[in-house]
Amino acid sequence: MSPQSPPARHEQTAPSTPTARDGAPASPLRFGYGTNGLADLRLDDALGLLADLGYDGVGLTLDHMHLDPLAPELAARTRRLAHRLDALGLGVTVETGARYVLDPRRKHGPSLLDPDPGDRARRTDLLLRAVRVAADLGAHAVHCFSGITPPGTDEETAWKRLAESLAPVLEAAAGSGVPLAVEPEPGHLLAGDGEIDFPPVLDALAATGYQGLTVVELPRHSHAGPHFAERSLPFLRRAATATSRTTRSGEPSDTPGREPHP
């Protein structure tokens, strides 16, 4: 499936340098915020917040507090969510890294690398559900992870388990036209606090013509989720336009690559 296009908007006469809602120069990138960083909010409230802040979309983590992938009537609940996203003009990507969605005693367990075939099958089933949800929502991707290599498991065995576990998911994703993204697990530092020099990274991403969502994921910051959601978007917009402003003017941008916080 082609990357999701932004919602249609009424044509207006644009200034020579487009600006975002917060007054920063507009970026060709589309930014979202992950619901796993808004776990203390009802899903509808979280979506309304992100739309009001000016986000282009949402990274939807399938979990019990928002869209529970294991509860009854998943298809009906997904349809209602699709209508809500359309009404708010939000794009969506589906994320599957909820901590205890499959096992209340094992964080992120079971994984695609678990020794028990039955446990691996439970993770595969979750990803198949995620693909169906993504297709019904018109999401531009499903994100998943392999899990860590279990103690005593050699690399060859781990790769074999991963390939076997993902095979039906890849087949379902291809049949539904939903890209499947296998992701590393980052450190989840606040934007500007970590090692990423954001302006050149975002500039390189924009240069590829990428049209999907670029999503902030801060699952350990839900205690102040609305605050961090509000501060993250201006930071990203400034960073996304810093390199292009330097290129246009020939002078250094006033937006640093790293800031104390977004």
Side-chain angles (χ1 to χ4, degrees):
M1 185 174 83
S2 299
Q4 190 175 10
S5 299
R9 305 183 188 276
H10 295 295
E11 293 294 330
Q12 297 180 356
T13 302
S16 57
T17 303
T19 57
R21 183 181 304 181
D22 57 11
S27 165
L29 296 175
R30 301 170 59 224
F31 296 115
Y33 198 91
T35 60
N36 59 7
L38 297 168
D40 294 322
L41 275 67
R42 296 178 182 88
L43 180 57
D44 193 64
D45 291 337
L47 298 178
L49 169 72
L50 298 180
D52 288 345
L53 291 175
Y55 280 93
D56 301 294
V58 58
L60 175 69
T61 297
L62 302 183
D63 205 352
H64 66 88
M65 77 283 288
H66 288 148
L67 186 66
D68 190 339
L70 304 180
E73 300 182 352
L74 177 59
R77 289 183 286 116
T78 302
R79 284 194 297 270
R80 289 194 293 271
L81 175 57
H83 291 316
R84 179 62 171 158
L85 291 168
D86 286 343
L88 294 172
L90 292 173
V92 62
T93 186
V94 174
E95 199 270 335
T96 60
R99 293 184 178 95
Y100 296 99
V101 67
L102 290 178
D103 190 325
R105 294 173 177 83
R106 284 192 295 165
K107 181 181 178 182
H108 296 309
S111 78
L112 297 172
L113 305 182
D114 270 26
D116 188 327
D119 280 347
R120 297 198 300 273
R122 291 171 59 204
R123 177 61 63 174
T124 296
D125 176 70
L126 175 67
L127 298 182
L128 291 172
R129 290 169 182 260
V131 168
R132 290 195 293 271
V133 167
D136 290 344
L137 294 178
H140 76 77
V142 168
H143 300 257
C144 68
F145 58 95
S146 65
I148 62 173
T149 303
T153 301
D154 61 84
E155 184 174 339
E156 181 179 356
T157 299
W159 277 110
K160 181 180 179 181
R161 289 174 185 169
L162 179 61
E164 291 176 349
S165 299
L166 276 182
V169 184
L170 289 169
E171 182 178 356
S176 300
V178 176
L180 186 68
V182 181
E183 62 176 79
E185 185 68 14
H188 296 297
L189 299 171
L190 296 175
D193 283 358
E195 300 175 351
I196 297 175
D197 188 7
F198 276 90
V201 170
L202 295 178
D203 187 62
L205 184 61
T208 69
Y210 176 69
Q211 293 295 304
L213 291 172
T214 301
V215 178
V216 177
E217 185 177 12
L218 292 173
R220 298 169 188 165
H221 295 74
S222 281
H223 64 282
H227 168 76
F228 290 117
E230 182 176 6
R231 300 192 70 170
S232 293
L233 186 57
F235 173 89
L236 290 172
R237 283 177 170 161
R238 291 195 302 270
T241 56
T243 304
S244 59
R245 287 203 303 272
T246 301
T247 301
R248 287 196 302 269
S249 67
E251 298 178 356
S253 165
D254 58 1
T255 303
R258 294 178 175 85
E259 295 186 357
H261 45 65

